[in-house]
């Protein structure tokens, strides 16, 4: 097992801080724990992915390109991001100025029995993002860092990546809303008004 | 059997349909059959073009674009359809529109036998994944088929793939 810092941050504290700072930002979660966490403060500007593992970052890119005046924040897990690994390269090459990509990284597949992910075995997502042309990329370990890094997610302009290391604490689902068409329509109506029906 | 003489007209016609129906995002993995269309889209400042590492990224990206109020299209070769399968479940579950323009390989005069397995299963894979499939095999049909598919996907919020038959592209001379 590679030697690395012990993660102490709690995932719900991290998600709570992100949601508290959201302002008018548009948020996309990944499937699994980040989806369940985001419901602690539900908002129509959050798109909850319950499926499509690997979708979150690219969905964020499409949304960011469609809404260049809004900050888009993708909050996903390490397993989900690893499945959509190519998105690092595609997003870095496109370099949108209004996208923040956040991985809440517990280094495990917590939905399926806590098997370790590659981030537990030495794969450094912040280094990957840096190598893929993200101008700002950091790993976050402490509450102190979190206090400055979370507002930075929304400060823009720019393309950011943050790998936030959390412990393996699990929580019950904070959201019961699962119907994909409903989640999509609610998001679009709130963002686009009558244009949602064009 | 004679090779079609370039330049082909139908790639430009697809671009014109994109403009007509208000396409503003193009996601693609390059294919020789899409060369001209990709160039036309890249030259248009009103269209965001995104080159993908895998077609599956484009399915998620265009769903995000639609969330943000933009219409898009995904360009790929038939081999890319297999890369999209699970992501198409997001399209179906959420009732996203999705316009896929797929150039076919492995179905007519194919020189590379490795293209046949995916080429021969492309339509079935799409249909099993909840995607409506329409085809154009003659150059004269391309404009109408793409226009009809684009109109229907954005008015119904359902995914539609237009398969552009390999016969449109013509034989690749493999003796060179």
């Amino acid at each position: 097992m590679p030697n690395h810092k012990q993660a102490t941050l709690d995932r719900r504290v991290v998600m709570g801080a992100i949601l508290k700072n959201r302002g008018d930002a548009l948020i996309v979660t990944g499937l699994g724990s980040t989806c369940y966490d985001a419901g602690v403060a539900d908002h129509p500007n959050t798109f909850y992915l319950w499926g499509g593992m690997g979708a979150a970052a690219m969905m964020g890119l499409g949304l960011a390109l469609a809404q260049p005046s809004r900050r888009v924040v993708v909050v996903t897990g390490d397993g989900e991001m690893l499945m959509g690994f190519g998105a690092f390269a595609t997003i870095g090459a496109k370099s949108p100025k209004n996208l923040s990509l956040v991985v809440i990284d517990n280094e495990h597949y917590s939905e399926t029995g806590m098997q370790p992910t590659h981030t537990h075995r030495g794969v450094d997502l912040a280094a990957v993002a840096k190598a893929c042309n993200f101008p700002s990329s950091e790993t976050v370990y402490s509450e102190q860092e979190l206090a400055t890094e979370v507002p930075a997610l929304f400060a823009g302009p720019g393309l950011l990546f943050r790998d936030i290391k959390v412990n393996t604490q699990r929580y019950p689902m904070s959201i019961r809303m699962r119907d994909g068409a409903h989640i999509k329509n609610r998001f679009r109506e709130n963002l686009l008004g009558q244009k949602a029906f064009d | 059997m004679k090779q079609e003489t370039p330049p082909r007209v139908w790639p430009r016609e697809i671009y014109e349909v994109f403009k007509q129906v208000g396409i503003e995002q193009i996601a693609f993995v390059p294919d020789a059959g899409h060369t001209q269309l990709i160039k036309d889209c890249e030259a248009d400042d009103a269209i965001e073009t995104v080159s993908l590492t895998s077609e599956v990224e484009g399915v998620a990206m265009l769903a995000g674009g639609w969330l943000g109020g933009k219409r898009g299209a995904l360009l790929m070769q038939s081999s890319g359809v297999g890369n999209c399968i699970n992501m198409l479940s997001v399209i179906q579950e959420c009732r996203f529109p999705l316009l896929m323009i797929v150039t076919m390989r492995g179905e007519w005069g194919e020189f590379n036998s490795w293209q046949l397995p995916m080429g021969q299963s492309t339509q079935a894979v799409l249909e099993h994944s909840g995607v409506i499939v329409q085809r154009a095999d003659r150059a004269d049909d391309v404009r109408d088929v793409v226009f009809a598919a684009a109109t229907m996907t954005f008015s119904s919020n359902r995914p539609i793939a237009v398969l552009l038959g390999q016969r449109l592209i013509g034989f690749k001379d493999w003796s060179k």
Side-chain angles (χ1 to χ4, degrees):
Chain A
M1 205 74 68
N3 230 346
H4 58 267
K5 286 193 221 175
Q6 188 66 38
T8 56
L9 284 170
D10 178 280
R11 60 181 312 115
R12 289 264 159 114
V13 170
V14 173
M15 183 61 92
I18 291 170
L19 296 176
K20 198 177 161 196
N21 281 270
R22 68 181 298 157
D24 75 344
L26 307 171
I27 292 181
V28 177
T29 78
L31 93 180
S33 299
T34 54
C35 173
Y36 311 152
D37 293 338
V40 295
D42 180 38
H43 196 290
N45 284 347
T46 302
F47 187 82
Y48 300 91
L49 271 165
W50 283 81
M53 189 164 177
M58 284 304 299
M59 192 170 251
L61 176 64
L63 181 56
L65 295 174
Q67 290 286 326
S69 65
R70 300 287 281 269
R71 171 71 23 188
V72 174
V73 180
V74 173
V75 188
T76 189
D78 42 308
E80 208 273 351
M81 193 65 230
L82 286 162
M83 190 170 284
F85 212 55
F88 278 119
T90 299
I91 292 170
K94 188 65 185 172
S95 285
K97 299 289 180 282
N98 59 328
L99 181 62
S100 301
L101 178 53
V102 180
V103 171
I104 297 188
D105 183 0
N106 68 358
E107 303 186 348
H108 290 81
Y109 296 101
S110 47
E111 284 306 291
T112 54
M114 267 317 160
Q115 300 87 349
T117 63
H118 293 349
T119 63
H120 191 67
R121 300 182 169 119
V123 173
D124 178 347
L125 294 180
V128 171
K130 208 165 278 178
C132 287
N133 203 34
F134 280 63
S136 171
S137 180
E138 303 290 344
T139 305
V140 177
Y141 292 94
S142 67
E143 297 239 15
Q144 201 177 2
E145 291 169 306
L146 195 68
T148 54
E149 291 299 343
V150 168
L153 297 176
F154 301 91
L159 172 63
L160 278 85
F161 177 77
R162 293 294 181 269
D163 184 23
I164 304 180
K165 294 286 187 180
V166 298
N167 61 37
T168 51
Q169 177 65 47
R170 294 193 67 195
Y171 288 97
M173 291 176 194
S174 64
I175 179 143
R176 308 303 295 177
M177 189 195 304
R178 273 193 300 275
D179 184 288
H182 174 75
I183 296 166
K184 175 208 69 174
N185 290 335
R186 186 180 78 143
F187 186 102
R188 292 185 86 246
E189 280 186 54
N190 188 61
L191 176 64
L192 305 167
Q194 281 303 303
K195 282 189 178 159
F197 307 106
D198 282 355
Chain B
M1 284 180 277
K2 149 171 166 297
Q3 204 161 351
E4 195 188 340
T5 320
R8 303 181 182 111
V9 175
W10 57 263
R12 183 71 187 179
E13 290 179 329
I14 296 176
Y15 168 76
E16 287 166 3
V17 169
F18 285 174
K19 296 304 286 181
Q20 197 179 348
V21 302
I23 298 285
E24 294 178 276
Q25 292 190 347
I26 294 293
F28 66 91
V29 172
D31 176 63
H34 283 316
T35 306
Q36 189 55 48
L37 178 57
I38 291 168
K39 269 187 200 158
D40 286 346
C41 292
E42 284 181 331
D44 186 332
D45 288 341
I47 297 181
E48 285 280 5
T49 55
V50 177
S51 175
L52 310 165
T53 69
S54 163
E55 296 80 357
V56 65
E57 294 173 3
V59 178
M61 187 198 115
L62 295 177
W66 180 253
L67 273 184
K70 300 290 188 190
R71 294 179 170 196
L74 176 55
L75 316 182
M76 69 174 81
Q77 182 186 103
S78 48
S79 51
V81 167
N83 292 344
C84 297
I85 298 174
N86 184 51
M87 203 58 80
L88 291 168
S89 68
V90 175
I91 301 300
Q92 188 171 170
E93 165 62 17
C94 300
R95 287 281 304 273
F96 279 110
L98 177 66
L99 179 61
M100 304 166 79
I101 310 290
V102 180
T103 43
M104 291 301 297
R105 292 287 306 270
E107 65 165 16
W108 194 81
E110 177 63 59
F111 71 92
N112 182 349
S113 61
W114 295 53
Q115 287 282 349
L116 265 68
M118 191 65 233
Q120 289 298 313
S121 59
T122 295
Q123 180 156 354
V125 162
L126 286 165
E127 287 172 346
H128 279 290
S129 304
V131 180
I132 297 163
V133 176
Q134 303 189 327
R135 284 190 65 104
D137 288 291
R138 295 173 53 249
D140 288 350
D141 288 341
V142 173
R143 178 197 288 269
D144 285 354
V145 172
V146 174
F147 180 75
T151 305
M152 197 156 93
T153 192
F154 296 117
S155 62
S156 67
N157 294 335
R158 286 186 173 83
I160 305 188
V162 174
L163 306 187
L164 300 174
Q166 193 169 9
R167 198 165 186 176
L168 278 168
I169 321 292
F171 282 99
K172 197 178 223 177
D173 185 354
W174 196 239
S175 63
K176 286 179 205 164

